[in-house]
Amino acid sequence: MWRAAVAVRTLRGSGAGASRAASGAAAAQLRRRLESELEDIRGAGTWKSERVIASRQGPHLRLAGGGAGIINFCANNYLGLSSHPEVIRAAVEALEKFGAGLSSVRFICGTQSIHKDLEEKIAHFHQREDAILYASCFDANAGIFEALLTPEDAVLSDELNHASIIDGIRLCKANKYRYKHMDMQDLEAKLKEAQKHRLRLVATDGAFSMDGDIAPLREICQLAQKYDALVFIDECHATGFLGPNGRGTDELLGVMDKVTIINSTLGKALGGAAGGYTTGPKPLIDLLRQRSRPYLFSNSLPPAVVGCASKALDLLMESNAIAQSMAAKTQRFRSKMTAAGFTISGKDHPICPVMLGDAQLASVMAEDMLNRGIYVIGFSYPVVPKGKARIRVQISAVHSDEDIDRCVEAFTEVGRKHGALP
């Protein structure tokens, strides 16, 4: 009996050992494959390093390891509100009054009065009926299409829409159409084809983050009206600074009454912390509170984030002076860079992509720019299409004219050194 028990334990032990060995072999195989993929990324010149910042976000930074006096031209801090004293003070006050976080989702015990106040303020700012908060605009985009569209419906998406829109559309069961970037003839052809479906939703970025170009919303809305479709726009790179009052591309192009749904972020111009939202018809917002998975299964926005975003909106609604100053600085940079011989994508947007084509060229030029005290980042595949590598420069309202001129001078020196300029 004793020998039988020992035999059973021995068999069990050898089985466990064999399982561990197999697991070790699988892990080693995975490691080899991952290291090979990573080496390929390095070899292609598309490796993305993370520079460590040892100061608050702003036009001037201090990098970990001693990099001081760096001028920052690659943040989404369009209005400079990430370090605005009133925004920071509002975050601290919210933290002290409402705590660090809710430890819960909204429908269980995660809704505070400040969440409802901010949603009301967002809806008022965009002149819409209601709004709903998310942990990010990526979550807002992930949550809307699946909740709204069924297999009876259709969604028509610009081919260069943000990855979060693409992923959100993948999650839904609607019929999917992709039209060529800002090509209205192709969109019309797709709308004609989609007439057989119950509901048609045209989805586009308002301003495209990699190219700095603005969607032709007037023409999109005209086609939507002609073919009885709805219009959805992602305004992450427009909210707060495009349009006379910073309400975005729909205000800029005079179609606020023709765009049905707006998704945007609190993590760029509106304080720069985190958070996103959907704003539009109240029945849609009510439906999202019932069915949108990222909303239902994610913790509530932390009070400090809500506080700083709310104050950022207050500042915007009090005055458009900050947004107006950024427009002049954007024009200064674009005109000086064009005069120097660079090709700048987009038009009249603070996203100013310096088009270079070659991924390695973009990477080494960005490193050389940092050596000259200018913080910019090279973008290459898969963030942008192959052969379309660029250094994306982003202008902020808090950049001085001297900052901009110094950036142009550094680009000119580095461009000549690496053959990007004659």
Side-chain angles (χ1 to χ4, degrees):
M1 188 71 180
W2 175 83
R3 289 179 180 175
V6 170
V8 168
R9 286 197 296 270
T10 301
L11 286 171
R12 286 175 178 168
S14 64
S19 175
R20 283 195 296 271
S23 176
Q29 182 183 26
L30 173 64
R31 178 178 290 273
R32 287 193 298 271
R33 182 174 70 79
L34 294 177
E35 288 176 346
S36 176
E37 287 188 33
L38 293 172
E39 193 57 39
D40 288 344
I41 294 171
R42 290 187 183 94
T46 57
W47 184 266
K48 297 162 188 64
S49 300
E50 295 183 0
R51 297 167 180 165
V52 181
I53 299 170
S55 62
R56 65 177 59 181
Q57 182 65 272
H60 296 263
L61 300 175
R62 179 170 54 85
L63 298 183
I70 303 297
I71 306 177
N72 180 16
F73 278 96
C74 59
N76 298 314
N77 186 24
Y78 295 113
L79 300 177
L81 298 182
S82 295
S83 300
H84 194 287
E86 291 187 49
V87 172
I88 294 172
R89 192 178 306 116
V92 172
E93 290 173 358
L95 181 66
E96 291 176 341
K97 182 176 181 180
F98 292 98
L102 277 299
S103 304
S104 180
V105 300
R106 288 284 296 270
F107 81 94
I108 298 177
C109 63
T111 299
Q112 292 176 318
S113 57
I114 52 172
H115 294 103
K116 300 305 293 183
D117 291 345
L118 178 55
E119 287 168 337
E120 183 179 347
K121 194 173 292 186
I122 288 168
H124 176 71
F125 177 72
H126 285 284
Q127 298 181 4
R128 297 304 196 275
E129 293 178 11
D130 202 356
I132 180 174
L133 291 170
Y134 287 88
S136 68
C137 190
F138 204 113
D139 277 351
N141 286 340
I144 188 167
F145 300 104
E146 184 181 24
L148 177 62
L149 303 175
T150 75
E152 298 180 66
D153 305 315
V155 57
L156 302 94
S157 176
D158 187 295
E159 65 180 352
L160 294 188
N161 275 339
H162 190 268
S164 58
I165 298 176
I166 294 169
D167 286 358
I169 289 173
R170 284 174 178 163
L171 291 171
C172 79
K173 296 180 180 179
N175 298 274
K176 301 169 182 68
Y177 297 81
R178 186 174 67 173
Y179 63 92
K180 296 175 185 176
H181 181 48
M182 301 200 306
D183 186 327
M184 295 300 95
Q185 287 187 332
D186 194 39
L187 174 57
E188 183 166 20
K190 297 295 193 302
L191 280 166
K192 288 179 180 177
E193 188 179 348
Q195 287 301 291
K196 56 193 173 186
H197 306 298
R198 180 187 65 174
L199 183 150
R200 291 155 296 284
L201 178 69
V202 180
T204 182
D205 280 342
F208 290 84
S209 62
M210 287 298 112
D211 294 288
D213 48 6
I214 296 170
L217 281 183
R218 291 194 190 99
E219 293 81 357
I220 289 173
C221 290
Q222 287 170 0
L223 287 174
Q225 187 172 11
K226 180 178 179 180
Y227 292 98
D228 195 23
L230 303 173
V231 177
F232 161 97
I233 54 175
D234 178 312
E235 289 284 77
C236 286
H237 292 276
T239 297
F241 55 92
L242 288 187
N245 301 290
R247 290 188 170 92
T249 54
D250 60 338
E251 183 186 50
L252 176 71
L253 298 174
V255 290
M256 290 187 70
D257 59 335
K258 295 179 173 60
V259 173
T260 306
I261 307 165
I262 294 173
N263 277 12
S264 194
T265 183
L266 305 173
K268 293 184 171 58
L270 302 184
Y277 58 85
T278 296
T279 185
K282 189 176 188 313
L284 169 65
I285 304 305
D286 289 344
L287 179 68
L288 293 175
R289 293 192 196 280
Q290 303 303 313
R291 291 187 179 173
S292 180
R293 291 165 68 86
Y295 178 81
L296 290 169
F297 297 102
S298 295
N299 264 20
S300 310
L301 270 185
V305 172
V306 177
C308 70
S310 183
K311 174 54 68 174
L313 278 170
D314 288 342
L315 293 172
L316 280 178
M317 289 190 280
E318 287 170 8
S319 170
N320 64 354
I322 302 176
Q324 294 299 319
S325 73
M326 192 190 60
K329 292 171 183 178
T330 297
Q331 180 57 34
R332 184 183 187 92
F333 178 81
R334 283 180 169 271
S335 61
K336 283 179 173 285
M337 285 290 285
T338 302
F342 288 101
T343 298
I344 310 299
S345 181
K347 182 182 178 183
D348 300 331
H349 194 284
I351 292 174
C352 304
V354 182
M355 304 304 294
L356 299 169
D358 182 76
Q360 289 184 320
L361 176 62
S363 179
V364 297
M365 280 185 61
E367 285 298 321
D368 256 7
M369 291 289 287
L370 185 61
N371 292 335
R372 287 165 170 77
I374 306 296
Y375 187 176
V376 290
I377 295 292
F379 285 78
S380 55
Y381 181 82
V383 180
V384 297
K386 289 182 179 179
K388 299 284 188 180
R390 79 282 307 267
I391 293 176
R392 187 179 71 173
V393 176
Q394 290 171 273
I395 306 300
S396 172
V398 289
H399 281 131
S400 68
D401 288 347
E402 291 76 16
D403 291 338
I404 292 169
D405 293 347
R406 185 175 162 191
C407 183
V408 174
E409 290 168 7
F411 260 112
T412 303
E413 292 174 9
V414 171
R416 286 174 180 159
K417 174 182 175 181
H418 293 284
L421 288 179

